[in-house]
Amino acid sequence: MRRNLSGRKYIIIAIFIVVAVIFVARLLYLQVIDDSYLLSAENNVLRKNTIYPNRGLIYDKNGKLLVYDEAAYDLMVIPRKVKTIDTVEFCSLLGITDSVFISKMTKAKKYSRYKSSLFLAQISKEDFGFLAEKLYKYPGFFVRSRSLRKYPKPIAAHILGYIAEVNNNEINTNPYYSSGDYIGKSGIEKFYEKELRGKKGVQVVMVDVHNRQQGSYKNGKYDSIAEAGKNLYLTIDADLQEYAEKLMVNKIGSIVVIDPKTGGILTFVTSPTYDPNLLVGRVRSKNFQMLMKDSLKPLLNRAIMGTYPPGSTFKVVNALVGLQEGVLHEGTSYSCNGPQTTPIRCTHHHITPLQLKMGIEQSCNPYFWNVFRSIINNPKYNSVEKAFGSWRKDVTSMGFGKKFNTDIPFEKPGSIPTLDLYNKIYGKGHWNALTIRSLAIGQGEILVTPLQMANFSAVIANKGFYYPPHLVTAIGSKENKIPRFHEKQMTEIEEKYFDVVQEAMLNVFEGEHGTARWSKLEGVKIGGKTGTVQNPHGKDHSMFIAFAPVGDPKIAMSVIIENSGYGSTWAAPIASLLIEKYLNDTIVRKHIEKRMLDGNLISRE
Amino acid sequence: MRNRGNIFQNIDRVTILLYFLLVFVGWINIYAAVYNDEHQSILDMSQNYGKQLIWISTSIILILVIFLIEAKFFSTFSYVIYFLMVLVLIAVLLVGKEIAGSKSWFQIGSFSIQPAEFAKFATALALAKYLSQIDVDITRLKTKLFAGFIIFAPAALILLQHDTGSAMVFVAFALVLFREGLSGSLLVLGFVLAVLFILALLINKFILIGILAVFTVLVYVLNKRLRKKYMIITGLFLMAAVYILSVDFAFENILEPHQKNRINVLLGKKKDPHGVGYNVHQSVIAIGSGGFSGKGFLKGTQTKYDFVPEQSTDFIFCTIGEEWGFVGTFVLILLFVALLIRLVILAERQRSRFSRIYGYGVASVIFFHFAVNIGMTIGLFPVIGIPLPFISYGGSSLWAFTVLLFIFVKLDSVRMDLL
């Protein structure tokens, strides 16, 4: 009656074995053949924490600290851990409104409930003090330390520049940066970004499913240490810079002071300026908007971006070219009929005829028209074009019409007109010295920057050469100089031609009729040249170039004060005060100083 | 040979060895899965690994008690045990405690006990008792229905507790019925239905019916012998078509949303590694990342940092896979297969039908748990929350499996005494 069913045990055992074999095959595939799961597991647990290095410090030429890093704190939040809190107190603690709190929380929740997001960036050390005491009351919030730039003295904003969070474009073009990183946006911070930023470190940690840190991964085998940024040593003299900025308060313009022996920029003022501390931390964007909207354009770096016709100061350039080209000698004399002179009239009263030194000292327009005409009509070249080409070559050799390309971002080249330009305007062969006569007195198509004028001043002081003006002498340590800034640039003008020019410029201070005789400094031989730049939009700009002491120059500069009238009224006294400050360290001529400090040339409507 | 004075006489050492190996593997892997720095001692009673040691110790006491009980007791009182268990299952529906959506727990002090776990051995006993009666013939419909009733009564009660996984385990007794003479074609039919079910969900139902139609026509054309049975073949085809259509209906209308999701994730119809598919996704990552030889004891990152859920209970296999690699999982599967085959061998050597049928019941239940649990963790089965026998953390589970197994070991040890 009963079938023999014991054979079925083999079927049952077979079912067991088939299932086991399927499992083993699947496990063989998962565990041995497909290795993508190892990666997935690591992605699950490994987090890379960035360690931010300290940004390099910036010192002036005497070792005074100009910029340093101060600890700041980013408030982070993990939304899941946030409990019911007293938002009113919390908001007042942070100085934010209710709606800001809600929108920041919403944003954080949207990103992730488990991972931390930035809640409030860059809380200063002072504000953090209050917050730290109470932070325990707000579970889910914690701080991540970052650093903020700090400026012990509110000076040299434009030189130093500022840093800000990287934008998307910068992230996309440079793989070093990730969201939230800082990058130099202008000035030295921009130019020396690579040196200053150092190198970010990475700490690989393991996290659990709730993103809580569980410890380092493989004992830190894949960690890298953050490398601090390199310190920079500037050519700037902080004391002189501060003094110059004081003198420029309530004036628009710029001052560039160069050490002619090195090309190092001692002082670099553009006015109006701003306190660099304004562009740091959370207040940055608000202040930046405010500065952007200011009608006086405090963010504009006039010393390199402001281009001006050089005016009478350019007469010195033409004198040097004339001497070099052999069409002008110390004794060359021309007559001046004062206001009646053609084609350019003279605005000064002086003896006539007059020689070169007097021409410079008195800034005689007709004299330099004659000089310029003789340069352009130089029989040596047989053609106006060739002579003009030679003039242009001489002029540009002194640093005009081009960028120095050292370490000052956003520098403008200015403009020295080219042959092509005139051929285009007037037609080839249809122009001559008379057509372009404005060049004789530094007007017309010439545009120069204050930096170029200061460099020209250094060229005269050095009698024919210059070092490219720059801001940083050394990186990392004081001894580690930047070689390319110390390459001597020779001009086309031979040394011997500078003596007469220097003497004439000395007479600008020392001479009986010198235009800057009121700004004379006892005991220091200063060479200078005033210039008044015609301004179609208002009162003329006053310009002044100066160097001292004549013979052993230690300082050369250009001063431009916009809308201030004659160069002798404002620019010359300020230049002489700076020379006094730099060479003597103490100001004796208090009355001049007071007049300059009190002077208010800005009329705000 | 016979020594009735010594209760440990004739016990099967292979089974005992395999049992203790599995329990030990379970214990150290529970330790690895739950391990944290604050509780480093494996004996720490506040942690699952410490508690598991209590369950292991008490299991040994249970084993001793079973050995002390006269073997005849189990066959004599099998119906009583079964009925008591059914009453307990009803009671838990009324006064039970709800844990994780299932009302299947009794809370006694700080311990919870899950009667469903114990219903398995009770059912195995009752089924063995019923089928071992001389006048019972499995080929008769009445027998099938009564055996079916014994199996599905507790399963239905467990289903009412919302513990689908434990209820499904009772399907395992089909293997017992098969061994006792149930037509093999019923097993094949079950298998075909399962395959069709999956295909119906994967492929457009009309395309699937079309494929079956083409297949049916091919059978006619190619096989002359089968051509004569065209009525049956056409009938089978029509039944299959109706089944396919009803699967679709059943899937959409009868299954609960989370069950539908789990099946969809398994079939790859739904990709959701952060939601419904999260458990399986992380589980597969954990096992896959173990590689050939594993990350090392206590070095698993997936399980240690809580990426895998239920790591000490239903997903304990992940810890083994991650920390011991393919070597570990292979050895564990080998241990289970060895135990299952050993149980079949033991069952076949019984003189009494009761013991044999019970033995097959034990093997079937353990096999079902083994297949579904590991299949789930490696992504071959939908997520069904049933423990891995002897390995997973849990008092009810370990006790129940211990009782299930050792009643059989006891029966086996006295096989010579009986008729």
Side-chain angles (χ1 to χ4, degrees):
Chain A
M1 165 196 137
R2 283 187 187 279
R3 292 170 290 154
N4 184 6
L5 295 167
S6 71
R8 288 195 168 180
K9 71 179 177 210
Y10 297 113
I11 294 172
I12 291 170
I13 288 173
I15 292 171
F16 295 167
I17 290 173
V18 165
V19 168
V21 166
I22 290 170
F23 285 179
V24 169
R26 169 78 171 165
L27 288 165
L28 192 69
Y29 172 75
L30 286 181
Q31 299 189 292
V32 183
I33 295 165
D34 188 344
D35 53 10
S36 67
Y37 295 101
L38 188 61
L39 197 70
S40 305
E42 287 189 348
N43 287 341
N44 262 344
V45 293
L46 297 187
R47 292 286 177 278
K48 287 178 179 174
N49 286 350
T50 306
I51 302 164
Y52 293 96
N54 284 332
R55 206 172 162 86
L57 309 178
I58 302 178
Y59 294 97
D60 90 333
K61 78 186 281 247
N62 300 316
K64 279 193 184 163
L65 193 58
L66 291 176
V67 187
Y68 65 97
D69 266 10
E70 191 180 78
Y73 303 88
D74 285 351
L75 186 65
M76 311 294 290
V77 65
I78 299 173
R80 198 185 71 94
K81 291 188 182 167
V82 177
K83 304 264 157 57
T84 330
I85 57 168
D86 182 352
T87 45
V88 178
E89 190 195 40
F90 191 63
C91 288
S92 73
L93 212 55
L94 296 173
I96 57 173
T97 63
D98 252 27
S99 58
V100 171
F101 176 86
I102 291 163
S103 79
K104 281 178 184 290
M105 268 318 269
T106 316
K107 202 178 147 199
K109 276 180 192 161
K110 219 170 165 187
Y111 170 64
S112 166
R113 299 183 68 83
Y114 289 105
K115 291 183 190 172
S116 58
S117 5
L118 179 64
F119 187 78
L120 196 59
Q122 303 165 342
I123 300 168
S124 72
K125 208 167 65 178
E126 294 78 25
D127 290 348
F128 176 67
F130 294 109
L131 184 64
E133 282 176 27
K134 303 225 168 134
L135 202 57
Y136 75 94
K137 284 206 246 170
Y138 308 101
F141 290 93
F142 67 97
V143 287
R144 175 179 75 176
S145 62
R146 292 294 298 269
S147 58
L148 287 181
R149 289 308 238 183
K150 275 280 169 183
Y151 307 88
K153 281 184 177 169
I155 57 167
H158 286 90
I159 301 169
L160 302 170
Y162 59 89
I163 59 170
E165 276 189 24
V166 283
N167 57 35
N168 282 339
N169 189 32
E170 286 156 342
I171 295 172
N172 293 339
T173 50
N174 192 332
Y176 177 83
Y177 298 100
S178 49
S179 181
D181 286 359
Y182 296 124
I183 188 171
K185 296 274 188 183
S186 75
I188 283 172
E189 299 275 19
K190 179 182 171 74
F191 194 88
Y192 292 99
E193 167 66 15
K194 262 194 183 150
E195 288 79 7
L196 285 169
R197 76 184 179 199
K199 202 168 154 257
K200 284 189 279 189
V202 173
Q203 189 189 15
V204 185
V205 294
M206 294 196 286
V207 296
D208 70 3
V209 69
H210 300 311
N211 218 42
R212 291 176 297 220
Q213 288 194 12
Q214 301 289 333
S216 81
Y217 178 62
K218 296 201 172 161
N219 289 322
K221 196 176 157 194
Y222 299 102
D223 294 1
S224 63
I225 299 166
E227 282 172 31
K230 289 178 179 150
N231 296 342
L232 296 184
Y233 298 88
L234 302 194
T235 58
I236 295 290
D237 181 319
D239 294 336
L240 192 65
Q241 174 78 26
E242 192 181 11
Y243 186 60
E245 286 191 21
K246 253 194 218 162
L247 291 173
M248 287 298 279
V249 168
N250 290 325
K251 296 159 198 82
I252 300 172
S254 60
I255 298 174
V256 178
V257 184
I258 295 174
D259 179 348
K261 286 178 180 151
T262 63
I265 296 172
L266 296 168
T267 289
F268 186 99
V269 181
T270 170
S271 182
T273 182
Y274 60 91
D275 180 348
N277 289 304
L278 287 177
L279 294 188
V280 171
R282 270 194 293 150
V283 290
R284 200 195 82 83
S285 59
K286 202 180 84 193
N287 286 334
F288 192 79
Q289 287 304 317
M290 184 194 80
L291 293 171
M292 278 285 282
K293 283 180 191 152
D294 194 323
S295 61
L296 297 175
K297 298 185 180 164
L299 291 174
L300 178 69
N301 191 341
R302 291 174 162 84
I304 49 163
M305 300 174 83
T307 52
Y308 304 83
S312 299
T313 48
F314 202 72
K315 287 168 184 165
V316 183
V317 177
N318 280 331
L320 286 167
V321 175
L323 289 165
Q324 178 64 34
E325 295 293 335
V327 296
L328 178 65
H329 305 281
E330 193 183 342
T332 306
S333 82
Y334 294 105
S335 60
C336 169
N337 291 333
Q340 277 80 45
T341 324
T342 53
I344 305 173
R345 67 201 184 95
C346 190
T347 50
H348 305 122
H349 300 283
H350 52 75
I351 53 160
T352 177
L354 72 173
Q355 294 181 340
L356 177 57
K357 266 197 268 185
M358 191 59 89
I360 294 171
E361 192 188 322
Q362 292 295 321
S363 201
C364 175
N365 285 350
Y367 189 93
F368 282 97
W369 151 243
N370 284 310
V371 170
F372 186 67
R373 187 177 57 183
S374 64
I375 294 169
I376 300 301
N377 295 339
N378 191 348
K380 190 166 87 179
Y381 294 110
N382 299 324
S383 99
V384 169
E385 288 199 3
K386 274 187 188 160
F388 178 79
S390 184
W391 172 84
R392 188 173 193 283
K393 192 176 167 217
D394 293 343
V395 171
T396 52
S397 79
M398 289 181 265
F400 292 109
K402 60 189 180 190
K403 297 179 187 179
F404 293 110
N405 278 327
T406 51
D407 53 6
I408 314 167
F410 307 121
E411 184 190 5
K412 286 231 169 123
S415 158
I416 300 297
T418 59
L419 216 71
D420 290 345
L421 179 74
Y422 287 129
N423 282 340
K424 217 164 139 193
I425 299 174
Y426 304 109
K428 201 169 162 66
H430 290 91
W431 55 274
N432 55 32
L434 189 65
T435 328
I436 57 171
R437 63 184 178 278
S438 307
L439 301 184
I441 56 165
Q443 300 285 349
E445 290 82 5
I446 309 176
L447 288 173
V448 300
T449 63
L451 178 67
Q452 287 168 343
M453 288 310 293
N455 181 63
F456 174 58
S457 179
V459 167
I460 304 167
N462 287 333
K463 296 188 178 176
F465 66 88
Y466 69 91
Y467 295 99
H470 56 273
L471 289 166
V472 174
T473 42
I475 299 170
S477 77
K478 270 195 145 172
E479 288 68 43
N480 186 21
K481 305 259 186 201
I482 304 167
R484 77 181 172 101
F485 297 163
H486 300 283
E487 286 165 15
K488 197 173 183 175
Q489 307 290 312
M490 296 307 298
T491 65
E492 296 290 327
I493 317 296
E494 284 167 54
E495 191 182 340
K496 61 182 177 191
Y497 297 122
F498 283 90
D499 291 332
V500 60
V501 169
Q502 286 201 353
E503 277 173 48
M505 288 176 72
L506 182 61
N507 278 342
V508 168
F509 281 93
E510 308 278 335
E512 206 180 322
H513 304 287
T515 47
R517 60 185 181 278
W518 307 114
S519 304
K520 190 181 162 185
L521 176 61
E522 279 310 322
V524 180
K525 285 179 161 183
I526 308 174
K529 178 75 193 81
T530 53
T532 304
V533 182
Q534 289 166 20
N535 174 16
H537 308 295
K539 214 173 165 189
D540 289 347
H541 304 323
S542 102
M543 185 180 281
F544 195 74
I545 56 170
F547 61 94
V550 176
D552 178 26
K554 293 194 169 72
I555 179 169
M557 71 179 75
S558 75
V559 177
I560 290 175
I561 317 286
E562 290 185 15
N563 315 115
S564 66
Y566 292 116
S568 51
T569 334
W570 296 101
I574 285 175
S576 92
L577 283 171
L578 288 172
I579 291 167
E580 187 179 7
K581 172 82 178 168
Y582 188 65
L583 296 179
N584 296 351
D585 202 37
T586 46
I587 302 293
V588 183
R589 299 168 298 165
K590 292 287 181 194
H591 58 287
I592 300 181
E593 185 184 40
K594 187 173 183 323
R595 191 164 62 86
M596 291 300 120
L597 289 173
D598 293 347
N600 187 347
L601 301 175
I602 296 176
S603 54
R604 282 181 194 258
E605 284 92 41
Chain B
M1 283 294 283
R2 288 185 205 176
N3 184 352
R4 306 199 69 174
N6 188 349
I7 53 163
F8 296 111
Q9 199 72 35
N10 292 327
I11 60 166
D12 185 59
R13 296 213 176 110
V14 178
T15 307
I16 304 287
L17 177 71
L18 288 169
Y19 169 82
F20 280 107
L21 274 175
L22 287 170
V23 168
F24 179 71
V25 166
W27 185 45
I28 60 166
N29 282 294
I30 290 164
Y31 177 63
V34 192
Y35 176 85
N36 61 52
D37 288 334
E38 286 147 43
H39 304 277
Q40 292 197 359
S41 166
I42 198 167
L43 303 174
D44 192 322
M45 290 303 155
S46 69
Q47 300 297 308
N48 275 3
Y49 35 87
K51 289 184 195 157
Q52 183 74 356
L53 190 60
I54 298 177
W55 307 133
I56 293 169
S57 320
T58 44
S59 292
I60 292 169
I61 296 170
L62 281 176
I63 292 168
L64 295 175
V65 170
I66 289 165
F67 282 153
L68 283 171
I69 294 171
E70 193 62 35
K72 253 194 136 16
F73 168 87
F74 297 109
S75 64
T76 312
F77 287 93
S78 51
Y79 284 142
V80 178
I81 294 170
Y82 178 79
F83 284 125
L84 283 175
M85 195 53 67
V86 168
L87 287 178
V88 169
L89 287 175
I90 293 167
V92 81
L93 272 175
L94 302 174
V95 296
K97 186 175 185 281
E98 193 166 310
I99 294 177
S102 299
K103 198 175 182 182
S104 51
W105 299 81
F106 276 127
Q107 178 104 29
I108 304 159
S110 62
F111 290 112
S112 300
I113 217 151
Q114 196 179 12
E117 293 291 342
F118 299 93
K120 294 164 200 166
F121 90 86
T123 306
L125 282 175
L127 191 64
K129 180 78 180 174
Y130 174 65
L131 291 179
S132 60
Q133 286 165 13
I134 305 288
D135 56 340
V136 166
D137 181 0
I138 193 89
T139 53
R140 279 159 54 193
L141 184 65
K142 187 190 141 203
T143 311
K144 282 179 195 153
L145 287 176
F146 197 77
F149 178 78
I150 291 174
I151 295 167
F152 289 110
L157 288 170
I158 292 166
L159 206 57
L160 286 176
Q161 302 167 2
H162 296 287
D163 188 357
T164 321
S166 296
M168 280 180 68
V169 173
F170 291 79
V171 172
F173 290 111
L175 273 182
V176 180
L177 299 181
F178 170 69
R179 169 61 185 84
E180 293 309 312
L182 191 69
S183 168
S185 52
L186 281 175
L187 276 191
V188 174
L189 182 68
F191 180 73
V192 169
L193 288 180
V195 169
L196 277 182
F197 182 88
I198 291 166
L199 287 176
L201 295 178
L202 273 181
I203 311 171
N204 180 301
K205 49 187 179 276
F206 298 109
I207 294 174
L208 185 60
I209 292 170
I211 292 170
L212 283 180
V214 170
F215 184 73
T216 312
V217 170
L218 280 177
V219 168
Y220 277 121
V221 174
L222 297 176
N223 197 321
K224 286 177 183 164
R225 232 163 14 97
L226 282 173
R227 209 177 289 171
K228 289 165 191 161
K229 300 183 178 173
Y230 66 93
M231 283 289 280
I232 299 169
I233 291 170
T234 312
L236 280 175
F237 166 72
L238 287 175
M239 277 163 64
V242 171
Y243 174 72
I244 288 164
L245 291 173
S246 57
V247 160
D248 194 56
F249 175 81
F251 186 75
E252 292 301 330
N253 298 294
I254 296 174
L255 286 187
E256 289 180 35
H258 73 274
Q259 292 168 331
K260 261 161 55 176
N261 282 333
R262 284 172 180 181
I263 291 170
N264 277 335
V265 167
L266 183 80
L267 295 179
K269 283 172 82 178
K270 192 166 176 173
K271 286 253 183 288
D272 186 10
H274 298 294
V276 180
Y278 177 84
N279 292 2
V280 174
H281 183 68
Q282 293 297 344
S283 164
V284 169
I285 287 175
I287 294 167
S289 68
F292 181 75
S293 55
K295 295 178 186 168
F297 185 52
L298 299 181
K299 299 228 173 73
T301 54
Q302 279 290 102
T303 45
K304 202 116 302 117
Y305 299 143
D306 300 337
F307 286 92
V308 179
E310 309 285 339
Q311 357 168 0
S312 65
T313 55
D314 295 347
F315 281 91
I316 186 73
F317 190 69
C318 293
T319 307
I320 298 165
E322 188 179 19
E323 298 194 347
W324 302 96
F326 180 69
V327 175
T329 54
F330 183 74
V331 167
L332 188 76
I333 287 170
L334 221 53
L335 286 178
F336 268 109
V337 172
L339 178 69
L340 291 170
I341 291 174
R342 184 68 192 166
L343 286 172
V344 170
I345 292 168
L346 294 191
E348 288 294 339
R349 77 180 183 189
Q350 300 305 313
R351 290 181 185 177
S352 110
R353 288 192 76 203
F354 174 80
S355 299
R356 183 181 72 216
I357 296 167
Y358 182 76
Y360 270 102
V362 174
S364 302
V365 169
I366 292 174
F367 168 70
F368 190 88
H369 274 264
F370 159 79
V372 170
N373 181 281
I374 293 182
M376 156 184 95
T377 58
I378 60 180
L380 292 178
F381 273 126
V383 175
I384 295 165
I386 58 174
L388 189 57
F390 315 115
I391 307 282
S392 287
Y393 168 79
S396 297
S397 156
L398 184 61
W399 282 358
F401 279 111
T402 303
V403 170
L404 179 78
L405 180 67
F406 278 88
I407 288 176
F408 182 56
V409 173
K410 173 72 183 176
L411 292 173
D412 175 66
S413 71
V414 298
R415 67 189 183 278
M416 301 300 192
D417 301 349
L418 299 165
L419 252 175

